[in-house]
Amino acid sequence: MVKPLGLLVMAYGTPHNLEEVLPYYTHIRRGRAPSEAQLADLVGRYQAIGGVSPLTEITSAQARGIADSLNSDGGRPVKLYQGMKHIAPYIEDAVAAMHADGLDEAIGIVLAPHYSHMSVGGYQKTAREKAEQLGGPKLRFVNQWHLEPAFLDVLTSRVQEALAACSNPEQAVVVFSAHSLPERILEMNDPYVAQLHESGEEVARRLQLKHYRFGWQSAGQTGEPWMGPDILDLLRSLKEEGYEEVVSCSQGFVADHLEVLYDIDIEAQQVAKELGIHLVRTRQMNDDKAFLQALADAVRKCERQGVEE
């Protein structure tokens, strides 16, 4: 009997309750506790979306969906493990569990479409180092899946759906956004920006969009320059250019969580309202079956290649 292939689904993670915000935030800050003001700001954001983020449940549903697709396609069976970057179960815990279960091989995939050395690369480094420390399993990784046909199909349909909610879709502008990263990635030959343009441009081509832009959101407060323009500044610029309707497509995010439910639904909507702009957000992927099939397809491609893709 063939041993199952380990499926390591990695994601950022989120606090399960407000009491976990401090240790979570401290972990993000590499062991440095936030100031009282920083902590209060983050807690306030969670309170504004209802106290907790639905991300934990969504991430679990996504992971199960990918595994279910793989275990019903007639290929090698997979055994699912979930690892979070900033909260238990951590990536290291998942790798240790795979090792304890005697798995020889595993494929890791991060629930983020676009590759950056600072984001997806960091998840992979953590998993790889733990596996090397333990002496297994052998890990391969899906580096990016932003051009998976099934993913682009769903992304395109979501933008089309949002445009249909506009009064004048032909004159609306679509803003493709993703999580900002420090500007120093530009000096690292990092593919992140190019990949964001690749997926956004493909959607624009499919829908023959006349008006679309690229923006950034959710930049960290680290004292160094982050990628811009921020979506809030972009909204102000679009208003000056005469746009009255904007579709926000947070293509770099695949679930309803703080960066969408607060940064777009509350913060960006507030700015849009002040500007007199009608802002429509595309629905997130969450546990959409067609979307999860795209990730399962990416895993199988990685498996067939037998090397890191």
Side-chain angles (χ1 to χ4, degrees), residues 113-115 144-148 151-152 194-196 198-199:
H114 312 90
Y115 181 90
Q144 66 274 319
W145 41 267
H146 66 294
L147 294 181
E148 279 296 323
F151 169 64
L152 290 170
Q195 290 187 6
L196 292 166
E198 286 170 357
S199 52

Side-chain angles (χ1 to χ4, degrees), residues 71-122:
N71 283 326
S72 61
D73 68 2
R76 183 177 175 183
V78 302
K79 185 169 183 179
L80 173 64
Y81 299 82
Q82 291 185 61
M84 304 298 120
K85 186 174 184 181
H86 292 300
I87 204 155
Y90 293 100
I91 293 169
E92 298 93 329
D93 300 331
V95 174
M98 288 193 290
H99 178 73
D101 288 345
L103 294 191
D104 299 322
E105 298 177 276
I107 290 178
I109 185 168
V110 179
L111 294 177
H114 312 90
Y115 181 90
S116 169
H117 296 94
M118 292 186 68
S119 58
V120 172

